[in-house]
Short mmCIF file of all heavy atoms in Angstrom, two decimals:
data_model
loop_
_atom_site.label_atom_id
_atom_site.label_comp_id
_atom_site.label_asym_id
_atom_site.label_seq_id
_atom_site.Cartn_x
_atom_site.Cartn_y
_atom_site.Cartn_z
N MET A 152 -12.44 26.20 -10.21
CA MET A 152 -11.60 26.12 -9.02
C MET A 152 -10.93 24.75 -8.97
O MET A 152 -11.59 23.74 -9.07
CB MET A 152 -12.45 26.33 -7.77
CG MET A 152 -11.61 26.45 -6.51
SD MET A 152 -12.62 26.85 -5.07
CE MET A 152 -13.18 25.21 -4.59
N SER A 153 -9.65 24.75 -8.82
CA SER A 153 -8.93 23.49 -8.75
C SER A 153 -8.69 23.10 -7.30
O SER A 153 -8.48 23.95 -6.45
CB SER A 153 -7.58 23.60 -9.46
OG SER A 153 -7.79 23.90 -10.83
N ILE A 154 -8.72 21.81 -7.06
CA ILE A 154 -8.45 21.31 -5.72
C ILE A 154 -7.25 20.37 -5.81
O ILE A 154 -7.20 19.51 -6.69
CB ILE A 154 -9.67 20.55 -5.16
CG1 ILE A 154 -10.91 21.46 -5.20
CG2 ILE A 154 -9.40 20.09 -3.73
CD1 ILE A 154 -12.19 20.75 -4.79
N PHE A 155 -6.32 20.56 -4.93
CA PHE A 155 -5.09 19.78 -4.97
C PHE A 155 -5.01 18.86 -3.75
O PHE A 155 -5.40 19.25 -2.65
CB PHE A 155 -3.87 20.70 -4.98
CG PHE A 155 -3.74 21.49 -6.26
CD1 PHE A 155 -4.47 22.64 -6.44
CD2 PHE A 155 -2.89 21.05 -7.27
CE1 PHE A 155 -4.37 23.37 -7.62
CE2 PHE A 155 -2.78 21.77 -8.45
CZ PHE A 155 -3.53 22.93 -8.63
N CYS A 156 -4.47 17.70 -3.98
CA CYS A 156 -4.19 16.78 -2.88
C CYS A 156 -3.09 17.39 -2.01
O CYS A 156 -2.04 17.79 -2.52
CB CYS A 156 -3.74 15.44 -3.43
SG CYS A 156 -3.19 14.27 -2.17
N PRO A 157 -3.33 17.50 -0.69
CA PRO A 157 -2.33 18.12 0.18
C PRO A 157 -1.09 17.25 0.39
O PRO A 157 -0.09 17.73 0.90
CB PRO A 157 -3.10 18.32 1.50
CG PRO A 157 -4.15 17.27 1.47
CD PRO A 157 -4.54 17.11 0.02
N ILE A 158 -1.18 16.01 -0.02
CA ILE A 158 -0.06 15.09 0.23
C ILE A 158 0.87 15.03 -0.98
O ILE A 158 2.08 15.23 -0.86
CB ILE A 158 -0.59 13.69 0.57
CG1 ILE A 158 -1.43 13.79 1.86
CG2 ILE A 158 0.56 12.69 0.75
CD1 ILE A 158 -2.18 12.52 2.20
N CYS A 159 0.31 14.78 -2.16
CA CYS A 159 1.17 14.66 -3.34
C CYS A 159 1.16 15.93 -4.19
O CYS A 159 1.87 16.01 -5.19
CB CYS A 159 0.75 13.45 -4.17
SG CYS A 159 -0.86 13.60 -4.95
N LYS A 160 0.35 16.92 -3.79
CA LYS A 160 0.30 18.21 -4.47
C LYS A 160 -0.17 18.12 -5.92
O LYS A 160 0.16 18.97 -6.74
CB LYS A 160 1.67 18.92 -4.43
CG LYS A 160 2.36 18.88 -3.10
CD LYS A 160 1.57 19.63 -2.04
CE LYS A 160 2.39 19.68 -0.74
NZ LYS A 160 1.60 20.22 0.37
N THR A 161 -0.93 17.09 -6.23
CA THR A 161 -1.44 16.91 -7.58
C THR A 161 -2.91 17.32 -7.63
O THR A 161 -3.67 17.02 -6.71
CB THR A 161 -1.30 15.43 -8.00
OG1 THR A 161 0.07 15.06 -7.91
CG2 THR A 161 -1.80 15.22 -9.42
N GLU A 162 -3.28 17.97 -8.71
CA GLU A 162 -4.67 18.38 -8.87
C GLU A 162 -5.55 17.15 -9.06
O GLU A 162 -5.20 16.24 -9.81
CB GLU A 162 -4.79 19.29 -10.09
CG GLU A 162 -6.18 19.85 -10.29
CD GLU A 162 -6.25 20.79 -11.48
OE1 GLU A 162 -5.20 21.15 -12.02
OE2 GLU A 162 -7.37 21.16 -11.85
N PHE A 163 -6.70 17.14 -8.40
CA PHE A 163 -7.61 16.03 -8.55
C PHE A 163 -8.23 16.02 -9.93
O PHE A 163 -8.58 17.07 -10.47
CB PHE A 163 -8.73 16.11 -7.51
CG PHE A 163 -8.25 15.91 -6.10
CD1 PHE A 163 -8.38 16.93 -5.18
CD2 PHE A 163 -7.70 14.70 -5.71
CE1 PHE A 163 -7.94 16.75 -3.87
CE2 PHE A 163 -7.26 14.52 -4.41
CZ PHE A 163 -7.38 15.55 -3.49
N LYS A 164 -8.40 14.84 -10.47
CA LYS A 164 -9.10 14.66 -11.73
C LYS A 164 -10.35 13.82 -11.49
O LYS A 164 -10.48 13.19 -10.44
CB LYS A 164 -8.18 13.98 -12.75
CG LYS A 164 -6.95 14.80 -13.08
CD LYS A 164 -6.09 14.09 -14.12
CE LYS A 164 -4.88 14.93 -14.47
NZ LYS A 164 -3.98 15.10 -13.30
N GLY A 165 -11.24 13.85 -12.47
CA GLY A 165 -12.56 13.24 -12.29
C GLY A 165 -12.55 11.80 -11.82
O GLY A 165 -13.41 11.41 -11.04
N GLU A 166 -11.60 11.00 -12.28
CA GLU A 166 -11.63 9.58 -11.94
C GLU A 166 -10.62 9.21 -10.86
O GLU A 166 -10.38 8.02 -10.62
CB GLU A 166 -11.41 8.74 -13.20
CG GLU A 166 -12.56 8.91 -14.18
CD GLU A 166 -12.45 7.98 -15.38
OE1 GLU A 166 -11.40 7.34 -15.53
OE2 GLU A 166 -13.41 7.92 -16.16
N ASP A 167 -10.04 10.19 -10.21
CA ASP A 167 -9.17 9.88 -9.07
C ASP A 167 -10.00 9.34 -7.93
O ASP A 167 -11.10 9.82 -7.67
CB ASP A 167 -8.46 11.15 -8.58
CG ASP A 167 -7.33 11.58 -9.50
OD1 ASP A 167 -7.05 10.87 -10.47
OD2 ASP A 167 -6.74 12.64 -9.22
N ARG A 168 -9.47 8.36 -7.24
CA ARG A 168 -10.15 7.85 -6.06
C ARG A 168 -9.68 8.66 -4.86
O ARG A 168 -8.50 8.74 -4.59
CB ARG A 168 -9.85 6.36 -5.85
CG ARG A 168 -10.48 5.52 -6.93
CD ARG A 168 -10.38 4.04 -6.63
NE ARG A 168 -11.14 3.26 -7.61
CZ ARG A 168 -12.46 3.08 -7.54
NH1 ARG A 168 -13.16 3.60 -6.54
NH2 ARG A 168 -13.08 2.38 -8.46
N VAL A 169 -10.66 9.25 -4.20
CA VAL A 169 -10.33 10.18 -3.11
C VAL A 169 -11.10 9.83 -1.85
O VAL A 169 -12.11 9.14 -1.89
CB VAL A 169 -10.65 11.64 -3.52
CG1 VAL A 169 -9.87 12.04 -4.76
CG2 VAL A 169 -12.15 11.84 -3.76
N ILE A 170 -10.61 10.36 -0.75
CA ILE A 170 -11.34 10.25 0.51
C ILE A 170 -11.59 11.64 1.05
O ILE A 170 -10.83 12.57 0.80
CB ILE A 170 -10.58 9.41 1.56
CG1 ILE A 170 -9.24 10.05 1.93
CG2 ILE A 170 -10.37 7.99 1.05
CD1 ILE A 170 -8.55 9.33 3.07
N LEU A 171 -12.69 11.76 1.77
CA LEU A 171 -13.06 13.02 2.41
C LEU A 171 -12.99 12.77 3.91
O LEU A 171 -13.70 11.91 4.43
CB LEU A 171 -14.47 13.42 2.00
CG LEU A 171 -15.02 14.71 2.61
CD1 LEU A 171 -14.27 15.92 2.06
CD2 LEU A 171 -16.51 14.83 2.31
N ASP A 172 -12.11 13.49 4.58
CA ASP A 172 -11.99 13.24 6.01
C ASP A 172 -12.96 14.09 6.81
O ASP A 172 -13.74 14.87 6.26
CB ASP A 172 -10.54 13.40 6.48
CG ASP A 172 -10.09 14.85 6.52
OD1 ASP A 172 -10.93 15.76 6.45
OD2 ASP A 172 -8.87 15.07 6.60
N GLU A 173 -12.93 13.93 8.11
CA GLU A 173 -13.91 14.59 8.96
C GLU A 173 -13.78 16.11 8.96
O GLU A 173 -14.65 16.82 9.44
CB GLU A 173 -13.81 14.06 10.39
CG GLU A 173 -12.42 14.26 10.99
CD GLU A 173 -12.32 13.62 12.36
OE1 GLU A 173 -13.30 13.65 13.10
OE2 GLU A 173 -11.24 13.09 12.68
N PHE A 174 -12.68 16.62 8.45
CA PHE A 174 -12.49 18.07 8.36
C PHE A 174 -12.81 18.59 6.96
O PHE A 174 -12.43 19.70 6.59
CB PHE A 174 -11.05 18.44 8.74
CG PHE A 174 -10.65 17.91 10.08
CD1 PHE A 174 -9.73 16.87 10.18
CD2 PHE A 174 -11.21 18.43 11.24
CE1 PHE A 174 -9.37 16.36 11.42
CE2 PHE A 174 -10.85 17.92 12.48
CZ PHE A 174 -9.93 16.88 12.57
N ASN A 175 -13.47 17.75 6.15
CA ASN A 175 -13.82 18.09 4.77
C ASN A 175 -12.58 18.35 3.91
O ASN A 175 -12.59 19.19 3.02
CB ASN A 175 -14.76 19.30 4.71
CG ASN A 175 -16.14 18.95 5.23
OD1 ASN A 175 -16.57 17.80 5.13
ND2 ASN A 175 -16.83 19.91 5.77
N THR A 176 -11.52 17.64 4.21
CA THR A 176 -10.32 17.72 3.39
C THR A 176 -10.27 16.51 2.47
O THR A 176 -10.45 15.38 2.90
CB THR A 176 -9.06 17.72 4.29
OG1 THR A 176 -9.13 18.84 5.17
CG2 THR A 176 -7.81 17.80 3.46
N LEU A 177 -10.02 16.79 1.21
CA LEU A 177 -9.90 15.73 0.22
C LEU A 177 -8.46 15.33 0.04
O LEU A 177 -7.57 16.18 0.02
CB LEU A 177 -10.43 16.22 -1.13
CG LEU A 177 -11.93 16.16 -1.39
CD1 LEU A 177 -12.22 16.77 -2.75
CD2 LEU A 177 -12.44 14.74 -1.34
N SER A 178 -8.23 14.05 -0.11
CA SER A 178 -6.91 13.57 -0.51
C SER A 178 -7.10 12.24 -1.22
O SER A 178 -8.15 11.62 -1.16
CB SER A 178 -5.99 13.43 0.70
OG SER A 178 -6.59 12.63 1.69
N HIS A 179 -6.06 11.82 -1.94
CA HIS A 179 -6.15 10.56 -2.68
C HIS A 179 -6.19 9.37 -1.73
O HIS A 179 -5.50 9.35 -0.71
CB HIS A 179 -4.91 10.39 -3.58
CG HIS A 179 -4.87 11.34 -4.72
ND1 HIS A 179 -3.88 12.29 -4.85
CD2 HIS A 179 -5.68 11.47 -5.80
CE1 HIS A 179 -4.10 12.98 -5.98
NE2 HIS A 179 -5.18 12.51 -6.56
N ILE A 180 -6.92 8.36 -2.12
CA ILE A 180 -6.91 7.12 -1.35
C ILE A 180 -5.50 6.55 -1.32
O ILE A 180 -5.02 6.12 -0.29
CB ILE A 180 -7.91 6.10 -1.95
CG1 ILE A 180 -9.34 6.55 -1.60
CG2 ILE A 180 -7.63 4.70 -1.42
CD1 ILE A 180 -10.42 5.65 -2.16
N GLN A 181 -4.83 6.57 -2.45
CA GLN A 181 -3.50 5.95 -2.48
C GLN A 181 -2.48 6.73 -1.66
O GLN A 181 -1.45 6.19 -1.26
CB GLN A 181 -3.00 5.76 -3.92
CG GLN A 181 -2.59 7.05 -4.62
CD GLN A 181 -3.73 7.59 -5.48
OE1 GLN A 181 -4.89 7.34 -5.22
NE2 GLN A 181 -3.38 8.34 -6.52
N CYS A 182 -2.76 7.98 -1.39
CA CYS A 182 -1.86 8.77 -0.56
C CYS A 182 -2.12 8.53 0.93
O CYS A 182 -1.32 8.92 1.76
CB CYS A 182 -2.04 10.26 -0.85
SG CYS A 182 -1.49 10.75 -2.49
N ASN A 183 -3.23 7.90 1.25
CA ASN A 183 -3.63 7.73 2.64
C ASN A 183 -3.77 6.27 3.05
O ASN A 183 -4.36 5.97 4.06
CB ASN A 183 -4.99 8.41 2.86
CG ASN A 183 -4.84 9.91 2.98
OD1 ASN A 183 -4.47 10.43 4.00
ND2 ASN A 183 -5.13 10.60 1.89
N LYS A 184 -3.25 5.37 2.26
CA LYS A 184 -3.58 3.94 2.47
C LYS A 184 -3.15 3.43 3.84
O LYS A 184 -3.67 2.44 4.31
CB LYS A 184 -2.96 3.08 1.38
CG LYS A 184 -1.46 3.24 1.23
CD LYS A 184 -0.97 2.49 0.00
CE LYS A 184 0.51 2.73 -0.22
NZ LYS A 184 0.98 2.08 -1.46
N GLU A 185 -2.21 4.10 4.48
CA GLU A 185 -1.77 3.61 5.78
C GLU A 185 -2.25 4.50 6.92
O GLU A 185 -1.75 4.42 8.02
CB GLU A 185 -0.25 3.49 5.81
CG GLU A 185 0.24 2.44 4.83
CD GLU A 185 1.76 2.29 4.85
OE1 GLU A 185 2.39 2.97 5.68
OE2 GLU A 185 2.28 1.51 4.05
N VAL A 186 -3.20 5.37 6.63
CA VAL A 186 -3.69 6.28 7.65
C VAL A 186 -5.11 5.90 8.04
O VAL A 186 -6.06 6.18 7.31
CB VAL A 186 -3.67 7.74 7.14
CG1 VAL A 186 -4.08 8.69 8.26
CG2 VAL A 186 -2.28 8.08 6.62
N PRO A 187 -5.30 5.26 9.18
CA PRO A 187 -6.62 4.75 9.56
C PRO A 187 -7.48 5.76 10.31
O PRO A 187 -8.17 5.42 11.26
CB PRO A 187 -6.26 3.57 10.46
CG PRO A 187 -5.01 4.04 11.16
CD PRO A 187 -4.25 4.87 10.13
N PHE A 188 -7.45 7.01 9.87
CA PHE A 188 -8.30 7.98 10.56
C PHE A 188 -9.72 7.89 10.02
O PHE A 188 -9.95 7.35 8.94
CB PHE A 188 -7.75 9.40 10.41
CG PHE A 188 -7.58 9.85 8.99
CD1 PHE A 188 -8.66 10.30 8.24
CD2 PHE A 188 -6.32 9.84 8.41
CE1 PHE A 188 -8.49 10.72 6.94
CE2 PHE A 188 -6.15 10.26 7.10
CZ PHE A 188 -7.24 10.70 6.36
N PRO A 189 -10.69 8.42 10.78
CA PRO A 189 -12.08 8.33 10.33
C PRO A 189 -12.28 9.03 8.98
O PRO A 189 -11.82 10.15 8.78
CB PRO A 189 -12.86 9.07 11.43
CG PRO A 189 -11.98 9.00 12.62
CD PRO A 189 -10.58 9.06 12.10
N VAL A 190 -12.95 8.35 8.10
CA VAL A 190 -13.21 8.90 6.78
C VAL A 190 -14.69 9.18 6.64
O VAL A 190 -15.53 8.35 6.92
CB VAL A 190 -12.76 7.91 5.69
CG1 VAL A 190 -13.14 8.42 4.31
CG2 VAL A 190 -11.27 7.66 5.79
N LYS A 191 -15.01 10.38 6.22
CA LYS A 191 -16.40 10.80 6.09
C LYS A 191 -17.04 10.20 4.84
O LYS A 191 -18.19 9.79 4.85
CB LYS A 191 -16.41 12.33 6.01
CG LYS A 191 -17.75 12.98 6.21
CD LYS A 191 -17.52 14.47 6.39
CE LYS A 191 -18.82 15.24 6.38
NZ LYS A 191 -18.58 16.69 6.52
N ASP A 192 -16.28 10.18 3.76
CA ASP A 192 -16.79 9.61 2.52
C ASP A 192 -15.61 9.28 1.64
O ASP A 192 -14.49 9.73 1.88
CB ASP A 192 -17.71 10.62 1.83
CG ASP A 192 -18.70 9.94 0.89
OD1 ASP A 192 -18.60 8.71 0.67
OD2 ASP A 192 -19.59 10.64 0.39
N TYR A 193 -15.86 8.50 0.59
CA TYR A 193 -14.81 8.21 -0.35
C TYR A 193 -15.43 7.79 -1.67
O TYR A 193 -16.61 7.45 -1.74
CB TYR A 193 -13.87 7.10 0.16
CG TYR A 193 -14.54 5.75 0.32
CD1 TYR A 193 -14.49 4.82 -0.71
CD2 TYR A 193 -15.23 5.44 1.48
CE1 TYR A 193 -15.12 3.59 -0.59
CE2 TYR A 193 -15.86 4.22 1.61
CZ TYR A 193 -15.79 3.29 0.59
OH TYR A 193 -16.43 2.09 0.71
N GLY A 194 -14.64 7.86 -2.72
CA GLY A 194 -15.15 7.48 -4.03
C GLY A 194 -14.39 8.24 -5.10
O GLY A 194 -13.30 8.78 -4.86
N LEU A 195 -14.99 8.29 -6.29
CA LEU A 195 -14.36 9.04 -7.36
C LEU A 195 -14.48 10.53 -7.09
O LEU A 195 -15.49 11.00 -6.57
CB LEU A 195 -15.02 8.71 -8.70
CG LEU A 195 -14.94 7.25 -9.15
CD1 LEU A 195 -15.61 7.09 -10.52
CD2 LEU A 195 -13.51 6.75 -9.19
N PHE A 196 -13.46 11.26 -7.46
CA PHE A 196 -13.48 12.70 -7.22
C PHE A 196 -14.72 13.36 -7.81
O PHE A 196 -15.36 14.20 -7.17
CB PHE A 196 -12.21 13.34 -7.80
CG PHE A 196 -12.22 14.83 -7.72
CD1 PHE A 196 -12.19 15.48 -6.50
CD2 PHE A 196 -12.27 15.60 -8.88
CE1 PHE A 196 -12.20 16.86 -6.41
CE2 PHE A 196 -12.28 16.99 -8.80
CZ PHE A 196 -12.25 17.62 -7.57
N GLU A 197 -15.08 12.98 -9.03
CA GLU A 197 -16.23 13.61 -9.68
C GLU A 197 -17.53 13.35 -8.91
O GLU A 197 -18.43 14.18 -8.90
CB GLU A 197 -16.36 13.15 -11.13
CG GLU A 197 -16.52 11.65 -11.29
CD GLU A 197 -16.39 11.22 -12.74
OE1 GLU A 197 -16.18 12.08 -13.60
OE2 GLU A 197 -16.48 10.01 -13.00
N GLU A 198 -17.60 12.20 -8.24
CA GLU A 198 -18.80 11.89 -7.46
C GLU A 198 -18.81 12.68 -6.15
O GLU A 198 -19.83 13.22 -5.73
CB GLU A 198 -18.84 10.39 -7.16
CG GLU A 198 -19.00 9.56 -8.42
CD GLU A 198 -18.88 8.07 -8.14
OE1 GLU A 198 -18.45 7.68 -7.02
OE2 GLU A 198 -19.21 7.28 -9.02
N ILE A 199 -17.67 12.73 -5.51
CA ILE A 199 -17.57 13.49 -4.26
C ILE A 199 -17.84 14.97 -4.51
O ILE A 199 -18.54 15.64 -3.75
CB ILE A 199 -16.17 13.31 -3.63
CG1 ILE A 199 -15.90 11.84 -3.31
CG2 ILE A 199 -16.02 14.17 -2.37
CD1 ILE A 199 -16.73 11.27 -2.19
N GLU A 200 -17.29 15.46 -5.61
CA GLU A 200 -17.46 16.87 -5.94
C GLU A 200 -18.93 17.21 -6.16
O GLU A 200 -19.41 18.27 -5.78
CB GLU A 200 -16.64 17.18 -7.20
CG GLU A 200 -16.56 18.66 -7.51
CD GLU A 200 -15.74 18.92 -8.75
OE1 GLU A 200 -15.79 18.09 -9.69
OE2 GLU A 200 -15.05 19.94 -8.79
N GLU A 201 -19.66 16.28 -6.77
CA GLU A 201 -21.09 16.51 -7.00
C GLU A 201 -21.89 16.41 -5.71
O GLU A 201 -22.84 17.14 -5.49
CB GLU A 201 -21.63 15.48 -7.99
CG GLU A 201 -21.30 15.80 -9.42
CD GLU A 201 -21.95 14.80 -10.37
OE1 GLU A 201 -22.84 14.04 -9.94
OE2 GLU A 201 -21.56 14.77 -11.54
N THR A 202 -21.50 15.46 -4.87
CA THR A 202 -22.23 15.23 -3.63
C THR A 202 -22.08 16.39 -2.66
O THR A 202 -23.03 16.82 -2.01
CB THR A 202 -21.74 13.94 -2.96
OG1 THR A 202 -21.90 12.86 -3.88
CG2 THR A 202 -22.55 13.64 -1.70
N TYR A 203 -20.87 16.92 -2.60
CA TYR A 203 -20.57 18.01 -1.66
C TYR A 203 -20.36 19.28 -2.45
O TYR A 203 -19.27 19.55 -2.94
CB TYR A 203 -19.34 17.66 -0.83
CG TYR A 203 -19.53 16.41 -0.01
CD1 TYR A 203 -19.18 15.18 -0.52
CD2 TYR A 203 -20.11 16.47 1.25
CE1 TYR A 203 -19.38 14.02 0.21
CE2 TYR A 203 -20.32 15.33 2.00
CZ TYR A 203 -19.94 14.10 1.47
OH TYR A 203 -20.15 12.97 2.19
N GLU A 204 -21.42 20.04 -2.57
CA GLU A 204 -21.40 21.19 -3.47
C GLU A 204 -20.36 22.24 -3.09
O GLU A 204 -19.94 23.02 -3.92
CB GLU A 204 -22.77 21.85 -3.49
CG GLU A 204 -23.82 21.01 -4.18
CD GLU A 204 -25.10 21.80 -4.41
OE1 GLU A 204 -25.20 22.92 -3.88
OE2 GLU A 204 -25.96 21.30 -5.12
N PHE A 205 -19.96 22.25 -1.83
CA PHE A 205 -19.03 23.31 -1.44
C PHE A 205 -17.70 23.23 -2.16
O PHE A 205 -16.97 24.20 -2.23
CB PHE A 205 -18.81 23.34 0.08
CG PHE A 205 -18.44 22.01 0.67
CD1 PHE A 205 -17.15 21.53 0.59
CD2 PHE A 205 -19.39 21.26 1.35
CE1 PHE A 205 -16.80 20.31 1.15
CE2 PHE A 205 -19.05 20.04 1.91
CZ PHE A 205 -17.77 19.56 1.81
N PHE A 206 -17.40 22.10 -2.75
CA PHE A 206 -16.14 21.99 -3.48
C PHE A 206 -16.18 22.77 -4.79
O PHE A 206 -15.14 23.17 -5.31
CB PHE A 206 -15.79 20.54 -3.78
CG PHE A 206 -15.36 19.80 -2.56
CD1 PHE A 206 -16.00 18.63 -2.19
CD2 PHE A 206 -14.33 20.26 -1.78
CE1 PHE A 206 -15.60 17.93 -1.06
CE2 PHE A 206 -13.91 19.59 -0.65
CZ PHE A 206 -14.55 18.43 -0.29
N SER A 207 -17.35 22.96 -5.32
CA SER A 207 -17.43 23.65 -6.61
C SER A 207 -17.90 25.09 -6.48
O SER A 207 -18.11 25.78 -7.46
CB SER A 207 -18.35 22.87 -7.56
OG SER A 207 -19.62 22.70 -6.97
N LYS A 208 -18.06 25.54 -5.25
CA LYS A 208 -18.46 26.93 -5.04
C LYS A 208 -17.35 27.66 -4.30
O LYS A 208 -16.87 27.18 -3.29
CB LYS A 208 -19.74 27.01 -4.23
CG LYS A 208 -20.88 26.26 -4.89
CD LYS A 208 -22.20 26.87 -4.49
CE LYS A 208 -23.39 26.04 -4.95
NZ LYS A 208 -23.27 25.55 -6.31
N ASP A 209 -16.95 28.79 -4.82
CA ASP A 209 -15.88 29.53 -4.15
C ASP A 209 -16.40 30.67 -3.28
O ASP A 209 -15.65 31.34 -2.60
CB ASP A 209 -14.83 30.04 -5.15
CG ASP A 209 -15.47 30.76 -6.31
OD1 ASP A 209 -16.63 31.20 -6.18
OD2 ASP A 209 -14.81 30.89 -7.34
N GLU A 210 -17.71 30.87 -3.29
CA GLU A 210 -18.29 31.88 -2.42
C GLU A 210 -19.54 31.33 -1.77
O GLU A 210 -20.30 30.59 -2.39
CB GLU A 210 -18.65 33.15 -3.19
CG GLU A 210 -17.44 33.91 -3.68
CD GLU A 210 -17.86 35.19 -4.39
OE1 GLU A 210 -18.94 35.71 -4.07
OE2 GLU A 210 -17.12 35.65 -5.26
N ALA A 211 -19.76 31.69 -0.53
CA ALA A 211 -20.95 31.23 0.16
C ALA A 211 -22.19 31.92 -0.43
O ALA A 211 -22.15 33.07 -0.82
CB ALA A 211 -20.85 31.55 1.65
N LYS A 212 -23.26 31.14 -0.45
CA LYS A 212 -24.50 31.72 -0.96
C LYS A 212 -25.21 32.52 0.12
O LYS A 212 -25.09 32.20 1.31
CB LYS A 212 -25.43 30.59 -1.44
CG LYS A 212 -24.91 29.92 -2.68
CD LYS A 212 -25.73 28.69 -3.03
CE LYS A 212 -27.10 29.06 -3.54
NZ LYS A 212 -27.83 27.87 -4.03
N ASP A 213 -25.95 33.50 -0.30
CA ASP A 213 -26.78 34.25 0.65
C ASP A 213 -27.91 33.36 1.15
O ASP A 213 -28.41 32.53 0.41
CB ASP A 213 -27.37 35.48 -0.02
CG ASP A 213 -26.29 36.48 -0.38
OD1 ASP A 213 -25.24 36.49 0.26
OD2 ASP A 213 -26.52 37.24 -1.32
N GLU A 214 -28.30 33.61 2.37
CA GLU A 214 -29.39 32.79 2.90
C GLU A 214 -30.70 33.57 2.91
O GLU A 214 -30.70 34.77 2.81
CB GLU A 214 -29.06 32.36 4.32
CG GLU A 214 -27.82 31.46 4.34
CD GLU A 214 -27.75 30.69 5.66
OE1 GLU A 214 -28.70 30.82 6.46
OE2 GLU A 214 -26.78 29.98 5.86
ZN1 LIG B 171 -2.37 12.58 -3.53
#
């Protein structure tokens, strides 16, 4: 599953620096440098993707 930055429309790559906002939306740090909204997390895309498993799952798991 590919995830695209909603601002520049570019697919995220492993070493892109990204931010995760309070709505669980990912975008590039460089695309948001002038937007001081609350940020939930930030770092390399590959790290964020690992930390937040929902990015790599396209279907909810059964409980
Ligand atoms: Zn971007």
Side-chain angles (χ1 to χ4, degrees):
M152 188 175 84
S153 299
I154 305 174
F155 292 82
C156 174
I158 299 172
C159 68
K160 315 296 186 188
T161 302
E162 184 178 351
F163 293 117
K164 297 182 179 64
E166 295 186 351
D167 284 357
R168 291 189 173 279
V169 300
I170 62 174
L171 179 69
D172 73 14
E173 59 185 323
F174 305 109
N175 290 331
T176 301
L177 277 177
S178 54
H179 291 116
I180 286 178
Q181 72 264 26
C182 292
N183 283 281
K184 56 187 175 184
E185 295 181 3
V186 185
F188 57 80
V190 175
K191 194 169 171 181
D192 204 352
Y193 65 94
L195 299 181
F196 174 66
E197 59 191 0
E198 295 173 348
I199 299 291
E200 189 180 35
E201 281 184 14
T202 303
Y203 299 91
E204 291 191 351
F205 51 79
F206 288 125
S207 56
K208 302 207 188 317
D209 50 20
E210 291 182 27
K212 291 172 71 173
D213 294 334
E214 297 197 4

